[in-house]
Short mmCIF file of all heavy atoms in Angstrom, two decimals:
data_model
loop_
_atom_site.label_atom_id
_atom_site.label_comp_id
_atom_site.label_asym_id
_atom_site.label_seq_id
_atom_site.Cartn_x
_atom_site.Cartn_y
_atom_site.Cartn_z
N MET A 745 -5.60 9.31 3.32
CA MET A 745 -5.62 10.53 4.09
C MET A 745 -6.88 11.32 3.73
O MET A 745 -7.22 11.47 2.57
CB MET A 745 -4.38 11.34 3.74
CG MET A 745 -4.07 12.23 4.88
SD MET A 745 -2.75 13.31 4.93
CE MET A 745 -1.38 13.32 4.27
N SER A 746 -7.58 11.82 4.74
CA SER A 746 -8.82 12.54 4.48
C SER A 746 -8.53 13.96 4.02
O SER A 746 -7.41 14.47 4.13
CB SER A 746 -9.68 12.56 5.74
OG SER A 746 -9.09 13.39 6.71
N ALA A 747 -9.55 14.61 3.52
CA ALA A 747 -9.39 15.98 3.02
C ALA A 747 -9.05 16.94 4.15
O ALA A 747 -8.23 17.85 3.99
CB ALA A 747 -10.67 16.42 2.31
N THR A 748 -9.66 16.74 5.32
CA THR A 748 -9.39 17.61 6.46
C THR A 748 -7.95 17.45 6.93
O THR A 748 -7.27 18.42 7.22
CB THR A 748 -10.35 17.28 7.62
OG1 THR A 748 -11.68 17.34 7.14
CG2 THR A 748 -10.19 18.24 8.76
N GLN A 749 -7.51 16.22 6.98
CA GLN A 749 -6.15 15.95 7.44
C GLN A 749 -5.12 16.54 6.47
O GLN A 749 -4.12 17.12 6.90
CB GLN A 749 -5.97 14.44 7.57
CG GLN A 749 -4.84 14.04 8.46
CD GLN A 749 -4.85 12.55 8.70
OE1 GLN A 749 -5.45 11.79 7.93
NE2 GLN A 749 -4.18 12.11 9.74
N SER A 750 -5.36 16.44 5.18
CA SER A 750 -4.42 17.01 4.21
C SER A 750 -4.43 18.53 4.26
O SER A 750 -3.39 19.17 4.10
CB SER A 750 -4.73 16.51 2.81
OG SER A 750 -6.00 16.96 2.39
N ALA A 751 -5.60 19.13 4.50
CA ALA A 751 -5.68 20.59 4.60
C ALA A 751 -4.91 21.07 5.82
O ALA A 751 -4.19 22.08 5.76
CB ALA A 751 -7.13 21.03 4.66
N LEU A 752 -5.06 20.37 6.95
CA LEU A 752 -4.32 20.76 8.15
C LEU A 752 -2.82 20.60 7.95
O LEU A 752 -2.03 21.41 8.43
CB LEU A 752 -4.79 19.93 9.35
CG LEU A 752 -6.13 20.31 9.94
CD1 LEU A 752 -6.51 19.35 11.05
CD2 LEU A 752 -6.10 21.73 10.46
N THR A 753 -2.41 19.57 7.25
CA THR A 753 -0.99 19.34 7.00
C THR A 753 -0.41 20.48 6.17
O THR A 753 0.74 20.88 6.38
CB THR A 753 -0.79 18.00 6.27
OG1 THR A 753 -1.42 16.98 7.02
CG2 THR A 753 0.67 17.66 6.12
N GLN A 754 -1.19 21.03 5.27
CA GLN A 754 -0.70 22.12 4.42
C GLN A 754 -0.77 23.46 5.13
O GLN A 754 0.04 24.35 4.87
CB GLN A 754 -1.51 22.17 3.13
CG GLN A 754 -1.27 20.97 2.24
CD GLN A 754 -2.20 20.93 1.05
OE1 GLN A 754 -3.03 21.83 0.88
NE2 GLN A 754 -2.07 19.92 0.21
N LEU A 755 -1.75 23.67 6.04
CA LEU A 755 -1.93 24.97 6.68
C LEU A 755 -1.11 25.14 7.95
O LEU A 755 -0.80 26.26 8.32
CB LEU A 755 -3.41 25.19 7.00
CG LEU A 755 -4.33 25.36 5.79
CD1 LEU A 755 -5.77 25.48 6.24
CD2 LEU A 755 -3.93 26.57 4.97
N LEU A 756 -0.73 24.08 8.61
CA LEU A 756 0.02 24.20 9.85
C LEU A 756 1.38 24.85 9.66
O LEU A 756 1.78 25.67 10.50
CB LEU A 756 0.14 22.85 10.54
CG LEU A 756 -1.07 22.45 11.38
CD1 LEU A 756 -0.87 21.07 11.99
CD2 LEU A 756 -1.36 23.45 12.45
N PRO A 757 2.13 24.56 8.63
CA PRO A 757 3.41 25.27 8.46
C PRO A 757 3.21 26.78 8.27
O PRO A 757 4.06 27.56 8.69
CB PRO A 757 4.02 24.65 7.20
CG PRO A 757 3.41 23.30 7.13
CD PRO A 757 2.03 23.46 7.69
N LEU A 758 2.11 27.20 7.68
CA LEU A 758 1.84 28.63 7.52
C LEU A 758 1.58 29.29 8.86
O LEU A 758 1.95 30.44 9.08
CB LEU A 758 0.65 28.84 6.59
CG LEU A 758 0.83 28.36 5.13
CD1 LEU A 758 -0.48 28.53 4.38
CD2 LEU A 758 1.95 29.13 4.46
N ALA A 759 0.93 28.58 9.76
CA ALA A 759 0.63 29.14 11.08
C ALA A 759 1.87 29.14 11.96
O ALA A 759 1.94 29.88 12.94
CB ALA A 759 -0.47 28.33 11.74
N GLY A 760 2.87 28.34 11.65
CA GLY A 760 4.07 28.26 12.46
C GLY A 760 4.86 29.55 12.47
O GLY A 760 5.54 29.86 13.44
N ASP A 761 4.79 30.35 11.42
CA ASP A 761 5.53 31.60 11.35
C ASP A 761 4.93 32.67 12.25
O ASP A 761 5.65 33.47 12.84
CB ASP A 761 5.57 32.11 9.91
CG ASP A 761 6.27 31.13 8.98
OD1 ASP A 761 7.13 30.36 9.48
OD2 ASP A 761 5.94 31.14 7.78
N THR A 762 3.61 32.71 12.35
CA THR A 762 2.95 33.76 13.11
C THR A 762 2.50 33.31 14.49
O THR A 762 2.04 34.12 15.28
CB THR A 762 1.71 34.27 12.35
OG1 THR A 762 0.82 33.17 12.17
CG2 THR A 762 2.10 34.84 11.00
N PHE A 763 2.64 32.05 14.81
CA PHE A 763 2.15 31.51 16.07
C PHE A 763 3.15 31.78 17.19
O PHE A 763 4.31 31.39 17.10
CB PHE A 763 1.91 30.00 15.93
CG PHE A 763 1.34 29.36 17.16
CD1 PHE A 763 0.05 29.65 17.59
CD2 PHE A 763 2.09 28.46 17.90
CE1 PHE A 763 -0.47 29.06 18.71
CE2 PHE A 763 1.57 27.87 19.03
CZ PHE A 763 0.29 28.17 19.44
N ASP A 764 2.72 32.46 18.24
CA ASP A 764 3.57 32.73 19.40
C ASP A 764 3.30 31.66 20.44
O ASP A 764 2.19 31.57 20.98
CB ASP A 764 3.27 34.12 19.96
CG ASP A 764 4.19 34.51 21.11
OD1 ASP A 764 5.19 33.80 21.33
OD2 ASP A 764 3.89 35.52 21.77
N LYS A 765 4.30 30.84 20.74
CA LYS A 765 4.10 29.72 21.65
C LYS A 765 3.96 30.17 23.10
O LYS A 765 3.51 29.41 23.95
CB LYS A 765 5.25 28.73 21.53
CG LYS A 765 5.27 28.05 20.18
CD LYS A 765 6.35 27.02 20.09
CE LYS A 765 6.29 26.38 18.71
NZ LYS A 765 7.27 25.33 18.56
N ASN A 766 4.31 31.41 23.43
CA ASN A 766 4.18 31.93 24.79
C ASN A 766 2.84 32.59 25.03
O ASN A 766 2.53 32.98 26.16
CB ASN A 766 5.31 32.92 25.08
CG ASN A 766 6.66 32.25 25.03
OD1 ASN A 766 6.80 31.10 25.46
ND2 ASN A 766 7.64 32.95 24.50
N LYS A 767 2.06 32.77 24.01
CA LYS A 767 0.76 33.44 24.14
C LYS A 767 -0.32 32.53 23.58
O LYS A 767 -0.31 32.20 22.40
CB LYS A 767 0.77 34.76 23.37
CG LYS A 767 -0.51 35.55 23.51
CD LYS A 767 -0.40 36.84 22.74
CE LYS A 767 -1.69 37.61 22.81
NZ LYS A 767 -1.64 38.81 21.99
N VAL A 768 -1.24 32.14 24.44
CA VAL A 768 -2.33 31.26 24.01
C VAL A 768 -3.64 32.01 24.19
O VAL A 768 -3.94 32.51 25.27
CB VAL A 768 -2.35 29.95 24.84
CG1 VAL A 768 -3.50 29.08 24.42
CG2 VAL A 768 -1.03 29.22 24.68
N THR A 769 -4.42 32.11 23.14
CA THR A 769 -5.73 32.77 23.19
C THR A 769 -6.78 31.82 22.66
O THR A 769 -6.49 30.93 21.86
CB THR A 769 -5.73 34.06 22.36
OG1 THR A 769 -5.48 33.72 21.00
CG2 THR A 769 -4.68 35.04 22.83
N PRO A 770 -8.02 32.00 23.08
CA PRO A 770 -9.07 31.11 22.60
C PRO A 770 -9.39 31.32 21.13
O PRO A 770 -9.83 30.41 20.45
CB PRO A 770 -10.27 31.43 23.48
CG PRO A 770 -10.00 32.76 24.03
CD PRO A 770 -8.52 32.93 24.08
N GLY A 771 -9.22 32.52 20.63
CA GLY A 771 -9.46 32.79 19.21
C GLY A 771 -10.94 32.80 18.86
O GLY A 771 -11.83 32.87 19.71
N ILE A 772 -11.20 32.73 17.59
CA ILE A 772 -12.58 32.81 17.09
C ILE A 772 -13.38 31.56 17.45
O ILE A 772 -14.57 31.64 17.74
CB ILE A 772 -12.60 33.07 15.57
CG1 ILE A 772 -14.01 33.43 15.09
CG2 ILE A 772 -12.07 31.90 14.79
CD1 ILE A 772 -14.46 34.77 15.52
N LEU A 773 -12.73 30.40 17.47
CA LEU A 773 -13.43 29.18 17.83
C LEU A 773 -13.90 29.23 19.28
O LEU A 773 -15.04 28.84 19.59
CB LEU A 773 -12.54 27.95 17.61
CG LEU A 773 -13.17 26.61 17.95
CD1 LEU A 773 -14.36 26.34 17.04
CD2 LEU A 773 -12.15 25.50 17.85
N GLY A 774 -13.08 29.75 20.17
CA GLY A 774 -13.47 29.90 21.57
C GLY A 774 -14.65 30.85 21.72
O GLY A 774 -15.56 30.61 22.52
N PHE A 775 -14.64 31.92 20.94
CA PHE A 775 -15.76 32.87 20.99
C PHE A 775 -17.04 32.22 20.49
O PHE A 775 -18.11 32.41 21.07
CB PHE A 775 -15.44 34.12 20.17
CG PHE A 775 -16.61 35.06 20.07
CD1 PHE A 775 -16.96 35.85 21.14
CD2 PHE A 775 -17.36 35.13 18.91
CE1 PHE A 775 -18.05 36.70 21.07
CE2 PHE A 775 -18.45 35.97 18.82
CZ PHE A 775 -18.79 36.77 19.92
N ILE A 776 -16.95 31.47 19.41
CA ILE A 776 -18.14 30.83 18.85
C ILE A 776 -18.72 29.81 19.83
O ILE A 776 -19.93 29.75 20.04
CB ILE A 776 -17.82 30.18 17.48
CG1 ILE A 776 -17.54 31.27 16.44
CG2 ILE A 776 -18.93 29.26 17.02
CD1 ILE A 776 -17.00 30.76 15.13
N VAL A 777 -17.85 29.02 20.47
CA VAL A 777 -18.32 28.04 21.45
C VAL A 777 -18.96 28.75 22.64
O VAL A 777 -20.04 28.35 23.11
CB VAL A 777 -17.15 27.13 21.90
CG1 VAL A 777 -17.55 26.30 23.10
CG2 VAL A 777 -16.71 26.25 20.76
N PHE A 778 -18.33 29.81 23.13
CA PHE A 778 -18.88 30.55 24.26
C PHE A 778 -20.22 31.18 23.90
O PHE A 778 -21.17 31.14 24.69
CB PHE A 778 -17.90 31.63 24.72
CG PHE A 778 -18.38 32.43 25.89
CD1 PHE A 778 -18.36 31.91 27.16
CD2 PHE A 778 -18.89 33.70 25.69
CE1 PHE A 778 -18.82 32.65 28.24
CE2 PHE A 778 -19.36 34.45 26.76
CZ PHE A 778 -19.32 33.92 28.04
N ALA A 779 -20.32 31.76 22.71
CA ALA A 779 -21.57 32.39 22.27
C ALA A 779 -22.67 31.34 22.13
O ALA A 779 -23.83 31.59 22.49
CB ALA A 779 -21.36 33.14 20.96
N ALA A 780 -22.33 30.16 21.62
CA ALA A 780 -23.33 29.09 21.47
C ALA A 780 -23.82 28.62 22.84
O ALA A 780 -25.03 28.40 23.04
CB ALA A 780 -22.76 27.93 20.68
N LEU A 781 -22.91 28.49 23.79
CA LEU A 781 -23.31 28.09 25.14
C LEU A 781 -24.19 29.16 25.79
O LEU A 781 -25.19 28.85 26.44
CB LEU A 781 -22.08 27.82 26.01
CG LEU A 781 -21.32 26.54 25.71
CD1 LEU A 781 -20.03 26.49 26.50
CD2 LEU A 781 -22.18 25.34 26.03
N ALA A 782 -23.81 30.42 25.63
CA ALA A 782 -24.60 31.51 26.20
C ALA A 782 -26.00 31.55 25.58
O ALA A 782 -27.00 31.75 26.29
CB ALA A 782 -23.88 32.84 26.00
N LEU A 783 -26.08 31.37 24.29
CA LEU A 783 -27.37 31.36 23.61
C LEU A 783 -28.23 30.18 24.08
O LEU A 783 -29.43 30.33 24.31
CB LEU A 783 -27.16 31.31 22.10
CG LEU A 783 -28.37 31.59 21.22
CD1 LEU A 783 -28.85 33.01 21.43
CD2 LEU A 783 -27.99 31.37 19.77
N GLY A 784 -27.60 29.02 24.25
CA GLY A 784 -28.33 27.85 24.74
C GLY A 784 -28.86 28.06 26.15
O GLY A 784 -30.00 27.70 26.46
N VAL A 785 -28.05 28.66 27.02
CA VAL A 785 -28.50 28.94 28.40
C VAL A 785 -29.65 29.95 28.37
O VAL A 785 -30.61 29.82 29.14
CB VAL A 785 -27.32 29.45 29.26
CG1 VAL A 785 -27.81 30.03 30.57
CG2 VAL A 785 -26.34 28.32 29.51
N TRP A 786 -29.57 30.95 27.50
CA TRP A 786 -30.63 31.95 27.42
C TRP A 786 -31.95 31.29 27.00
O TRP A 786 -32.99 31.57 27.60
CB TRP A 786 -30.23 33.03 26.42
CG TRP A 786 -31.21 34.15 26.34
CD1 TRP A 786 -31.46 35.12 27.26
CD2 TRP A 786 -32.11 34.41 25.26
NE1 TRP A 786 -32.43 35.96 26.83
CE2 TRP A 786 -32.87 35.56 25.59
CE3 TRP A 786 -32.33 33.78 24.05
CZ2 TRP A 786 -33.83 36.07 24.75
CZ3 TRP A 786 -33.29 34.30 23.21
CH2 TRP A 786 -34.03 35.44 23.56
N PHE A 787 -31.90 30.40 25.99
CA PHE A 787 -33.12 29.71 25.56
C PHE A 787 -33.65 28.79 26.65
O PHE A 787 -34.87 28.68 26.86
CB PHE A 787 -32.89 28.93 24.27
CG PHE A 787 -32.99 29.77 23.03
CD1 PHE A 787 -31.90 29.90 22.19
CD2 PHE A 787 -34.15 30.43 22.71
CE1 PHE A 787 -31.98 30.67 21.05
CE2 PHE A 787 -34.25 31.20 21.57
CZ PHE A 787 -33.15 31.34 20.73
N LEU A 788 -32.77 28.12 27.38
CA LEU A 788 -33.22 27.26 28.48
C LEU A 788 -33.88 28.07 29.59
O LEU A 788 -34.88 27.63 30.17
CB LEU A 788 -32.03 26.46 29.04
CG LEU A 788 -31.59 25.28 28.20
CD1 LEU A 788 -30.30 24.69 28.78
CD2 LEU A 788 -32.66 24.22 28.15
N MET A 789 -33.34 29.23 29.90
CA MET A 789 -33.94 30.08 30.94
C MET A 789 -35.32 30.59 30.50
O MET A 789 -36.24 30.65 31.31
CB MET A 789 -33.01 31.25 31.27
CG MET A 789 -31.72 30.83 31.94
SD MET A 789 -31.97 30.09 33.55
CE MET A 789 -32.43 31.52 34.48
N LYS A 790 -35.45 30.96 29.22
CA LYS A 790 -36.76 31.39 28.73
C LYS A 790 -37.77 30.25 28.83
O LYS A 790 -38.91 30.45 29.24
CB LYS A 790 -36.66 31.87 27.28
CG LYS A 790 -36.15 33.27 27.13
CD LYS A 790 -36.22 33.74 25.70
CE LYS A 790 -37.60 33.82 25.19
NZ LYS A 790 -38.21 35.12 25.11
N SER A 791 -37.35 29.05 28.45
CA SER A 791 -38.23 27.90 28.50
C SER A 791 -38.63 27.58 29.94
O SER A 791 -39.78 27.28 30.23
CB SER A 791 -37.56 26.69 27.85
OG SER A 791 -38.35 25.54 28.00
N MET A 792 -37.64 27.63 30.86
CA MET A 792 -37.93 27.35 32.25
C MET A 792 -38.90 28.38 32.82
O MET A 792 -39.82 28.03 33.56
CB MET A 792 -36.65 27.35 33.07
CG MET A 792 -36.88 26.98 34.53
SD MET A 792 -35.43 27.17 35.54
CE MET A 792 -35.31 28.93 35.62
N ASN A 793 -38.71 29.63 32.46
CA ASN A 793 -39.59 30.69 32.95
C ASN A 793 -41.02 30.46 32.45
O ASN A 793 -41.99 30.63 33.20
CB ASN A 793 -39.07 32.05 32.49
CG ASN A 793 -39.74 33.19 33.21
OD1 ASN A 793 -40.36 33.01 34.24
ND2 ASN A 793 -39.61 34.37 32.66
N ARG A 794 -41.17 30.06 31.21
CA ARG A 794 -42.50 29.79 30.65
C ARG A 794 -43.14 28.59 31.35
O ARG A 794 -44.32 28.61 31.69
CB ARG A 794 -42.39 29.55 29.15
CG ARG A 794 -43.72 29.40 28.47
CD ARG A 794 -43.60 29.33 26.96
NE ARG A 794 -42.68 28.30 26.52
CZ ARG A 794 -41.60 28.53 25.76
NH1 ARG A 794 -41.31 29.74 25.37
NH2 ARG A 794 -40.82 27.54 25.40
N HIS A 795 -42.37 27.54 31.60
CA HIS A 795 -42.92 26.35 32.25
C HIS A 795 -43.25 26.62 33.72
O HIS A 795 -44.24 26.10 34.24
CB HIS A 795 -41.94 25.19 32.15
CG HIS A 795 -41.97 24.52 30.82
ND1 HIS A 795 -41.23 24.98 29.75
CD2 HIS A 795 -42.65 23.45 30.38
CE1 HIS A 795 -41.46 24.20 28.71
NE2 HIS A 795 -42.32 23.27 29.05
N MET A 796 -42.44 27.42 34.39
CA MET A 796 -42.72 27.73 35.79
C MET A 796 -43.96 28.60 35.92
O MET A 796 -44.66 28.56 36.93
CB MET A 796 -41.52 28.44 36.44
CG MET A 796 -40.33 27.53 36.62
SD MET A 796 -40.63 26.14 37.69
CE MET A 796 -40.56 26.92 39.27
N GLY A 797 -44.27 29.39 34.88
CA GLY A 797 -45.48 30.20 34.90
C GLY A 797 -46.73 29.36 34.80
O GLY A 797 -47.81 29.76 35.25
N ARG A 798 -46.62 28.18 34.24
CA ARG A 798 -47.78 27.29 34.09
C ARG A 798 -48.05 26.45 35.34
O ARG A 798 -49.10 25.84 35.44
CB ARG A 798 -47.55 26.34 32.93
CG ARG A 798 -47.50 27.04 31.59
CD ARG A 798 -47.25 26.04 30.50
NE ARG A 798 -47.05 26.71 29.21
CZ ARG A 798 -46.60 26.12 28.15
NH1 ARG A 798 -46.27 24.85 28.17
NH2 ARG A 798 -46.43 26.79 27.03
N VAL A 799 -47.12 26.40 36.26
CA VAL A 799 -47.26 25.55 37.44
C VAL A 799 -48.20 26.21 38.44
O VAL A 799 -48.10 27.41 38.71
CB VAL A 799 -45.88 25.30 38.09
CG1 VAL A 799 -46.01 24.53 39.39
CG2 VAL A 799 -44.99 24.54 37.13
N ASP A 800 -49.13 25.44 38.97
CA ASP A 800 -50.06 25.91 39.99
C ASP A 800 -49.50 25.51 41.35
O ASP A 800 -49.37 24.33 41.66
CB ASP A 800 -51.44 25.28 39.78
CG ASP A 800 -52.45 25.78 40.78
OD1 ASP A 800 -52.24 26.87 41.35
OD2 ASP A 800 -53.46 25.09 40.98
N PHE A 801 -49.16 26.52 42.16
CA PHE A 801 -48.52 26.23 43.43
C PHE A 801 -49.51 26.07 44.58
O PHE A 801 -49.10 25.80 45.70
CB PHE A 801 -47.51 27.33 43.79
CG PHE A 801 -46.26 27.25 42.98
CD1 PHE A 801 -46.00 28.17 41.99
CD2 PHE A 801 -45.35 26.25 43.20
CE1 PHE A 801 -44.84 28.11 41.24
CE2 PHE A 801 -44.19 26.16 42.46
CZ PHE A 801 -43.94 27.10 41.48
N GLN A 802 -50.79 26.25 44.36
CA GLN A 802 -51.76 26.08 45.43
C GLN A 802 -51.98 24.60 45.67
O GLN A 802 -52.37 23.86 44.78
CB GLN A 802 -53.09 26.73 45.07
CG GLN A 802 -53.18 28.16 45.50
CD GLN A 802 -54.59 28.68 45.29
OE1 GLN A 802 -55.35 28.14 44.49
NE2 GLN A 802 -54.93 29.74 45.98
N GLU A 803 -51.75 24.20 46.90
CA GLU A 803 -51.95 22.80 47.25
C GLU A 803 -53.33 22.64 47.90
O GLU A 803 -53.78 23.50 48.65
CB GLU A 803 -50.89 22.32 48.22
CG GLU A 803 -49.51 22.30 47.62
CD GLU A 803 -48.49 21.74 48.59
OE1 GLU A 803 -48.88 21.10 49.59
OE2 GLU A 803 -47.30 21.95 48.34
N THR A 804 -53.96 21.53 47.62
CA THR A 804 -55.23 21.25 48.30
C THR A 804 -54.90 20.65 49.65
O THR A 804 -53.99 19.82 49.78
CB THR A 804 -56.07 20.25 47.48
OG1 THR A 804 -55.31 19.07 47.26
CG2 THR A 804 -56.44 20.86 46.14
N PRO A 805 -55.61 21.06 50.68
CA PRO A 805 -55.30 20.52 52.01
C PRO A 805 -55.65 19.04 52.10
O PRO A 805 -56.61 18.57 51.48
CB PRO A 805 -56.17 21.35 52.95
CG PRO A 805 -57.24 21.91 52.09
CD PRO A 805 -56.68 22.03 50.70
N GLU A 806 -54.84 18.33 52.84
CA GLU A 806 -55.10 16.91 53.03
C GLU A 806 -56.29 16.75 53.97
O GLU A 806 -56.52 17.59 54.84
CB GLU A 806 -53.87 16.24 53.63
CG GLU A 806 -52.69 16.23 52.69
CD GLU A 806 -51.49 15.53 53.30
OE1 GLU A 806 -51.66 14.85 54.33
OE2 GLU A 806 -50.40 15.69 52.75
N PRO A 807 -57.06 15.67 53.82
CA PRO A 807 -58.23 15.49 54.70
C PRO A 807 -57.84 15.41 56.18
O PRO A 807 -58.56 15.90 57.03
CB PRO A 807 -58.83 14.15 54.24
CG PRO A 807 -58.28 13.93 52.87
CD PRO A 807 -56.99 14.65 52.80
N ALA A 808 -56.73 14.82 56.50
CA ALA A 808 -56.33 14.71 57.91
C ALA A 808 -55.91 16.06 58.46
O ALA A 808 -56.04 16.31 59.65
CB ALA A 808 -55.18 13.72 58.05
N ALA A 809 -55.44 16.95 57.64
CA ALA A 809 -54.98 18.26 58.10
C ALA A 809 -56.13 19.27 58.13
O ALA A 809 -55.94 20.39 58.57
CB ALA A 809 -53.87 18.75 57.19
N ALA A 810 -57.31 18.92 57.66
CA ALA A 810 -58.43 19.85 57.61
C ALA A 810 -58.91 20.22 59.01
O ALA A 810 -59.34 21.33 59.25
CB ALA A 810 -59.57 19.27 56.80
N GLY A 811 -58.85 19.34 59.93
CA GLY A 811 -59.29 19.61 61.29
C GLY A 811 -59.27 18.33 62.10
O GLY A 811 -59.27 17.24 61.54
N PRO A 812 -59.27 18.47 63.42
CA PRO A 812 -59.26 17.25 64.23
C PRO A 812 -60.59 16.53 64.14
O PRO A 812 -61.66 17.13 64.29
CB PRO A 812 -58.98 17.77 65.64
CG PRO A 812 -59.40 19.19 65.62
CD PRO A 812 -59.22 19.68 64.20
N LYS A 813 -60.53 15.29 63.87
CA LYS A 813 -61.75 14.48 63.80
C LYS A 813 -61.90 13.69 65.09
O LYS A 813 -60.89 13.33 65.72
CB LYS A 813 -61.68 13.47 62.64
CG LYS A 813 -61.86 14.10 61.29
CD LYS A 813 -61.95 13.02 60.24
CE LYS A 813 -62.28 13.59 58.89
NZ LYS A 813 -62.39 12.57 57.88
N ALA A 814 -63.11 13.42 65.44
CA ALA A 814 -63.35 12.61 66.63
C ALA A 814 -62.99 11.17 66.28
O ALA A 814 -63.25 10.69 65.19
CB ALA A 814 -64.83 12.69 67.05
N THR A 815 -62.42 10.49 67.23
CA THR A 815 -62.06 9.11 66.98
C THR A 815 -63.33 8.27 66.97
O THR A 815 -64.26 8.51 67.75
CB THR A 815 -61.10 8.58 68.06
OG1 THR A 815 -61.72 8.74 69.33
CG2 THR A 815 -59.80 9.33 68.02
N PRO A 816 -63.42 7.33 66.09
CA PRO A 816 -64.63 6.52 66.02
C PRO A 816 -64.78 5.69 67.31
O PRO A 816 -63.83 5.12 67.80
CB PRO A 816 -64.42 5.63 64.82
CG PRO A 816 -62.99 5.74 64.45
CD PRO A 816 -62.44 6.97 65.09
N THR A 817 -65.98 5.74 67.81
CA THR A 817 -66.25 4.96 69.03
C THR A 817 -67.00 3.68 68.66
O THR A 817 -67.71 3.65 67.65
CB THR A 817 -67.09 5.77 70.02
OG1 THR A 817 -68.30 6.17 69.36
CG2 THR A 817 -66.34 7.02 70.48
N ALA A 818 -66.88 2.71 69.49
CA ALA A 818 -67.56 1.43 69.24
C ALA A 818 -69.04 1.60 69.57
O ALA A 818 -69.41 2.18 70.57
CB ALA A 818 -66.94 0.34 70.09
N LYS A 819 -69.88 1.10 68.70
CA LYS A 819 -71.32 1.16 68.93
C LYS A 819 -71.69 0.13 69.98
O LYS A 819 -71.18 -0.99 69.97
CB LYS A 819 -72.09 0.90 67.63
CG LYS A 819 -71.90 1.99 66.60
CD LYS A 819 -72.77 1.72 65.42
CE LYS A 819 -72.61 2.79 64.38
NZ LYS A 819 -73.44 2.57 63.23
N PRO A 820 -72.59 0.47 70.84
CA PRO A 820 -73.04 -0.54 71.82
C PRO A 820 -73.76 -1.65 71.12
O PRO A 820 -74.50 -1.44 70.15
CB PRO A 820 -73.93 0.23 72.75
CG PRO A 820 -74.24 1.52 72.08
CD PRO A 820 -73.21 1.74 71.03
N ASP A 821 -73.58 -2.83 71.62
CA ASP A 821 -74.22 -4.01 71.07
C ASP A 821 -75.69 -4.00 71.47
O ASP A 821 -76.05 -3.90 72.63
CB ASP A 821 -73.55 -5.25 71.63
CG ASP A 821 -73.15 -6.21 70.54
OD1 ASP A 821 -73.37 -5.89 69.36
OD2 ASP A 821 -72.58 -7.26 70.88
N SER A 822 -76.58 -4.08 70.49
CA SER A 822 -78.02 -4.08 70.80
C SER A 822 -78.52 -5.49 71.09
O SER A 822 -79.66 -5.67 71.45
CB SER A 822 -78.78 -3.45 69.65
OG SER A 822 -78.58 -4.21 68.48
N THR A 823 -77.65 -6.49 70.90
CA THR A 823 -78.12 -7.87 71.13
C THR A 823 -78.05 -8.20 72.61
O THR A 823 -78.67 -9.15 73.02
CB THR A 823 -77.28 -8.86 70.32
OG1 THR A 823 -75.93 -8.71 70.67
CG2 THR A 823 -77.48 -8.64 68.84
N GLY A 824 -77.30 -7.47 73.34
CA GLY A 824 -77.26 -7.65 74.63
C GLY A 824 -76.92 -8.23 75.78
O GLY A 824 -77.16 -8.83 76.62
#
């Protein structure tokens, strides 16, 4: 039996006296998980904002879109 398993076996009967089976709350563990997720999202948003600031949104025009070009015509044959 591991140390964690033996600790839970000893602590669960103590929680049985004060535990209300009709009321379920997230408790401190739920708060810690929520705070960690919120902190992670905040850091991701800061990082995304910094990376989006580095992006250059100006596109160079494509050569075909620059203007209508004349279609190439066949050169007359000089041989004749």
